[in-house]
Amino acid sequence: MVSVETNWNRPYHIVVFGASGFTGQFVVEEVARTACEGPNGNLHWAVAGRSKQKLDKVLEQAAAALGRPELRTGIDTIIADVGEPDSLAAMCKQAVIVLNCVGPYRFYGEPVVKACVENGAHCIDICGEPQFLEGMQLNYHSQAAEKGVYIVGSCGFDSIPADMGVLYTRDQFRGTLTAVESFLTASSGPEGGCIHDGTWQSAIYGFADSGKLKSLRRKFNHKPLPTVGSKIKRRGALFYSNEIQQYALPFMGADPSVVKRTQRFLAEEYQQTPVQYGAYAGVGGLCNIVKMIFAGMMFWFLVKFSFGRNLLIKVTDRWLMEGSSFQFAFYGEGYTEGQDPSQGKPNGKIRTLVQGPEAGYVATPIAMVQAALTMLGEPKSLPREGGVYTPGAAFARTTLIDRLNKHGIQFSVL
């Protein structure tokens, strides 16, 4: 296992790569805000990217936002570019953990994973692209295991609330949890929601290439996970949810993929009962549905063609995030203590909640940085060997949920 202590070979606990990007700016501020939670209360960190001038500007903005003028000169900068492997290698050799904020990951993520594995740095990203996440597991898990390197993807809003939420629900259930459905709802501030280029491009290209994911998954040769209890019923493409009292549809993000990978790992590594999972998102009332159908038809048409994808990318906008929030409601069922899961139908239910601030650029940096601090502080609670992992697989036996609770992403039983 790569040591979590800094030394003359690895002077930094954390290097934020892509710090001058939109998301990277918020991650830098979150690292600065929580540096006192690092090893022995002192986190050594740096920022990395292509332009020294832009990195200096990021630190200047962080200093102004946090009222910390020492950030302007007290944090080191590293020049690194995904197109220059030598620069990535030099960066990785200086870091215990690289926080990779450069997306879309399908275009820019693999060189960073490769450099981290080859140069002994752990890597955490905030990718929401199943094709990239599963591709990295297929191609780099064995190498990472040999090196004792942990590559942990989807450590932002995609998919820590869902993945850790399922584990939290399992841990709070008194018995054997067998199935969970989650319902995501979000509220926007006075200026609406927020989306930015990297997130928007990930959605565009992810939807356009969804067919390639099936062929990728066949290469794993996985056996089907055993079904314990009643098989979860898949909902329709659009339905009225009594749980959240509004119309809902299947959640199209990375959460179902990530949760299933976690459940497979826990079943195979720790012989735990795999939890079936269904993910849905609330869309509101009938008026919203009409708007959504029209927008969905346009989106579906445009992503099929290169000119359409370029048009969608050009029309992205950035709105203010203040006042926005998200909420995941989890509805679980299983067998209570003393009941035999092989006999009869599940006889127990549980409801839990994960809620937090604006998903993309407030909750995501919190989740990413707390994942890194957990890795630094609790190495003995990580999986026994390195590899490419989901958040749930990597952090199931850590205090990550407790850390998130202290930073505004709340887990609770209803």
Side-chain angles (χ1 to χ4, degrees):
M1 181 185 297
V2 179
S3 172
V4 297
E5 295 299 322
T6 57
N7 54 44
W8 68 274
N9 286 323
R10 295 186 186 274
Y12 308 112
H13 291 112
I14 289 174
V15 170
V16 182
F17 179 52
S20 58
F22 189 74
T23 305
Q25 175 74 54
F26 293 104
V27 172
V28 166
E29 292 175 15
E30 187 62 24
V31 172
R33 191 179 289 116
T34 57
C36 61
E37 299 175 27
N40 301 316
N42 186 21
L43 187 75
H44 299 281
W45 62 287
V47 295
R50 293 180 296 177
S51 166
K52 177 71 162 61
Q53 182 179 4
K54 289 182 179 179
L55 293 173
D56 288 341
K57 184 177 180 180
V58 166
L59 293 173
E60 185 173 333
Q61 291 177 343
L66 300 177
R68 300 265 303 280
E70 69 276 11
L71 294 175
R72 293 188 176 94
T73 56
I75 303 300
D76 292 339
T77 58
I78 299 171
I79 304 303
D81 189 330
V82 292
E84 298 177 4
D86 289 345
S87 71
L88 292 180
M91 174 187 72
C92 292
K93 288 175 181 176
Q94 299 181 70
V96 177
I97 301 174
V98 173
L99 299 187
N100 183 17
C101 302
V102 180
Y105 291 89
R106 68 179 54 242
F107 300 130
Y108 308 117
E110 185 168 0
V112 181
V113 171
K114 185 174 185 290
C116 284
V117 171
E118 291 178 349
N119 295 281
H122 306 307
C123 182
I124 290 174
D125 70 43
I126 46 178
C127 178
E129 307 163 42
Q131 185 176 334
F132 172 80
L133 294 165
E134 296 183 36
M136 294 304 97
Q137 181 182 356
L138 182 68
N139 296 330
Y140 291 96
H141 181 79
S142 296
Q143 297 174 50
E146 291 174 3
K147 292 272 192 174
V149 168
Y150 293 91
I151 307 295
V152 188
S154 52
C155 284
F157 176 73
D158 296 306
S159 290
I160 277 184
D163 203 17
M164 300 306 294
V166 171
L167 298 188
Y168 176 80
T169 305
R170 180 204 64 188
D171 292 343
Q172 297 301 313
F173 185 74
R174 295 182 178 179
T176 302
L177 189 71
T178 59
V180 172
E181 289 183 315
S182 70
F183 295 85
L184 168 65
T185 54
S187 62
S188 59
E191 301 297 332
C194 176
I195 192 168
H196 191 64
D197 290 351
T199 304
W200 185 234
Q201 289 186 42
S202 295
I204 293 168
Y205 290 108
F207 191 89
D209 292 343
S210 58
K212 297 178 182 178
L213 187 56
K214 292 181 180 179
S215 62
L216 172 65
R217 286 173 173 165
R218 284 194 288 268
K219 297 178 182 178
F220 283 97
N221 293 317
H222 284 318
K223 295 179 180 178
L225 284 173
T227 299
V228 180
S230 302
K231 187 173 183 179
I232 196 169
K233 295 180 180 178
R234 300 300 175 188
R235 311 280 188 124
L238 180 66
F239 62 95
Y240 186 80
S241 167
N242 291 319
E243 292 85 355
I244 56 175
Q245 296 293 298
Q246 60 180 275
Y247 285 94
L249 44 70
F251 183 70
M252 302 301 290
D255 291 353
S257 163
V258 171
V259 170
K260 188 169 184 178
R261 288 169 59 212
T262 293
Q263 293 304 312
R264 178 174 296 281
F265 171 81
L266 296 177
E268 294 175 351
E269 186 72 12
Y270 303 127
Q271 290 72 55
Q272 295 181 359
T273 301
V275 177
Q276 302 173 73
Y277 179 60
Y280 303 97
V283 294
L286 291 173
C287 182
N288 283 351
I289 291 172
V290 173
K291 295 177 182 177
M292 182 193 69
I293 291 173
F294 177 75
M297 291 173 62
M298 291 298 297
F299 184 88
W300 180 86
F301 174 76
L302 290 171
V303 297
K304 297 297 181 182
F305 306 98
S306 59
F307 79 88
R309 292 192 290 271
N310 291 333
L311 177 62
L312 286 168
I313 290 168
K314 289 178 181 178
V315 301
T316 59
D317 200 0
R318 186 186 305 180
W319 296 314
L320 296 179
M321 298 166 287
E322 199 168 322
S324 298
S325 63
F326 74 87
Q327 178 174 292
F328 273 97
F330 295 86
Y331 293 80
E333 68 174 24
Y335 296 85
T336 57
E337 291 177 337
Q339 296 295 313
D340 186 351
S342 66
Q343 301 293 324
K345 295 182 178 180
N347 66 329
K349 294 185 181 296
I350 185 173
R351 183 186 174 196
T352 63
L353 197 67
V354 178
Q355 55 189 336
E358 189 278 328
Y361 304 108
V362 182
T364 284
I366 291 172
M368 186 184 210
V369 173
Q370 288 306 311
L373 292 172
T374 301
M375 185 178 286
L376 287 170
E378 304 174 45
K380 293 181 180 179
S381 298
L382 300 175
R384 56 186 174 83
E385 63 180 14
V388 179
Y389 293 107
T390 61
F395 301 117
R397 299 189 169 191
T398 70
T399 63
L400 176 58
I401 288 175
D402 294 334
R403 293 170 181 264
L404 293 171
N405 271 322
K406 294 176 183 177
H407 288 272
I409 300 178
Q410 302 290 326
F411 293 69
S412 59
V413 178
L414 298 178

